[in-house]
């Protein structure tokens, strides 16, 4: 089990899915980026904390933070341990005195809490290998915001959805798209 330390690179509105955002995590010491599709509420919670903005009333993640701190509970790390059919699986690792607890969490919630607790975010090597996109291999963009690519869209789909998209691309003779989908399926079956 090899953990890779990640950092938040940014958030971008998803052009591929309605009311969704793309959270971009990047290797601390590498060039790969992991795009994760998240909901609007979680994106807002992450963005507000990144920009040091505070709502007049506590948001859910702020409430969780305040509750935990009131009982001397700290979040020591977030760990993204699996990627299965486009779904990222994460744990938050919490500590209270000598007691250590691992709790299952949606990745978006775990990241929103990691920012508040100022704890590190890690991913299993296999997750980074499967979902990571090497930015040095991608053409440079003129815009500062992270751009969602077809590869990012495909990484977020379940296998069945990819098979359907592959058939549609072949039927439409869109062989470039079909090859990207095929590559994603091959990457998952390694």
């Amino acid at each position: 089990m090899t953990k890779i330390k990640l950092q938040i690179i940014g958030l971008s509105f998803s052009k591929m899915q309605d009311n969704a955002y793309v959270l971009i995590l990047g290797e601390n010491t590498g060039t790969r980026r992991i795009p994760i599709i998240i909901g609007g509420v979680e994106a807002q919670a992450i963005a507000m904390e990144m920009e040091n903005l505070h709502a007049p009333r506590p948001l859910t993640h702020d409430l969780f933070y305040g509750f935990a701190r009131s009982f001397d509970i700290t979040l020591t790390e977030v760990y993204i341990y699996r990627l299965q059919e486009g779904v990222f699986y994460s744990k938050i690792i919490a500590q209270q005195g000598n007691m250590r607890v691992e709790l299952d969490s949606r990745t978006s919630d775990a990241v929103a809490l990691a920012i508040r607790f100022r704890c590190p975010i890690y991913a299993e090597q296999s997750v980074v290998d499967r979902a990571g996109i090497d930015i040095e291999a991608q053409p440079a963009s003129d815009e500062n915001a992270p751009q969602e690519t077809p590869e990012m869209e495909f990484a977020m789909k379940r296998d069945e959805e990819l098979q359907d998209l592959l058939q549609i691309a072949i039927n439409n003779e869109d062989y470039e798209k079909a090859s990207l989908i095929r590559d994603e399926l091959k990457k998952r079956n390694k």
Side-chain angles (χ1 to χ4, degrees):
M1 173 170 79
T2 304
K3 291 183 181 178
I4 296 177
K5 192 169 184 181
L6 303 174
Q7 61 185 326
I8 299 170
I9 303 298
L11 282 167
S12 177
F13 185 73
S14 174
K15 297 173 188 166
M16 308 285 185
Q17 295 183 18
D18 291 335
N19 196 29
Y21 291 79
V22 181
L23 169 65
I24 308 290
L25 300 176
E27 294 176 295
N28 269 16
T29 59
T31 59
R32 292 181 291 184
R33 302 293 185 252
I34 301 171
I36 302 173
I37 303 294
I38 65 173
V41 172
E42 294 80 10
Q44 178 186 25
I46 292 168
M48 287 184 69
E49 193 65 24
M50 285 173 62
E51 297 298 324
N52 202 26
L53 300 172
H54 301 282
R57 303 288 300 140
L59 300 174
T60 304
H61 298 94
D62 300 320
L63 176 63
F64 184 92
Y65 174 78
F67 181 84
R69 298 301 296 164
S70 294
F71 290 94
D72 294 322
I73 298 168
T74 58
L75 206 68
T76 59
E77 76 179 67
V78 164
Y79 178 45
I80 305 168
Y81 64 93
R82 185 172 69 193
L83 172 62
Q84 184 175 356
E85 294 190 9
V87 177
F88 290 88
Y89 291 80
S90 298
K91 295 178 184 180
I92 57 173
I93 290 83
Q95 182 108 19
Q96 182 187 41
N98 292 330
M99 186 170 62
R100 182 178 185 266
V101 177
E102 294 183 7
L103 300 168
D104 187 40
S105 175
R106 294 185 310 171
T107 301
S108 56
D109 291 327
V111 170
L113 290 172
I115 295 171
R116 285 161 176 78
F117 281 90
R118 309 233 183 309
C119 73
I121 301 168
Y122 295 97
E124 179 62 36
Q125 173 80 48
S126 62
V127 171
V128 177
D129 290 345
R130 287 185 57 206
I133 298 170
D134 193 339
I135 59 167
E136 288 189 352
Q138 302 293 318
S141 172
D142 292 336
E143 297 180 25
N144 290 334
Q147 297 297 307
E148 190 170 353
T149 65
E151 291 88 348
M152 291 177 183
E153 175 195 7
F154 301 144
M156 302 302 120
K157 301 282 188 194
R158 294 188 337 256
D159 288 353
E160 297 82 25
E161 292 174 300
L162 287 176
Q163 291 293 347
D164 292 343
L165 288 173
L166 178 60
Q167 191 58 54
I168 291 168
I170 291 169
N171 292 345
N172 292 335
E173 298 181 9
D174 187 349
Y175 300 116
E176 183 177 348
K177 185 175 183 177
S179 68
L180 293 172
I181 296 168
R182 179 207 61 216
D183 292 346
E184 176 62 27
L185 287 166
K186 280 185 180 178
K187 186 165 61 169
R188 289 180 183 193
N189 294 320
K190 282 185 179 178

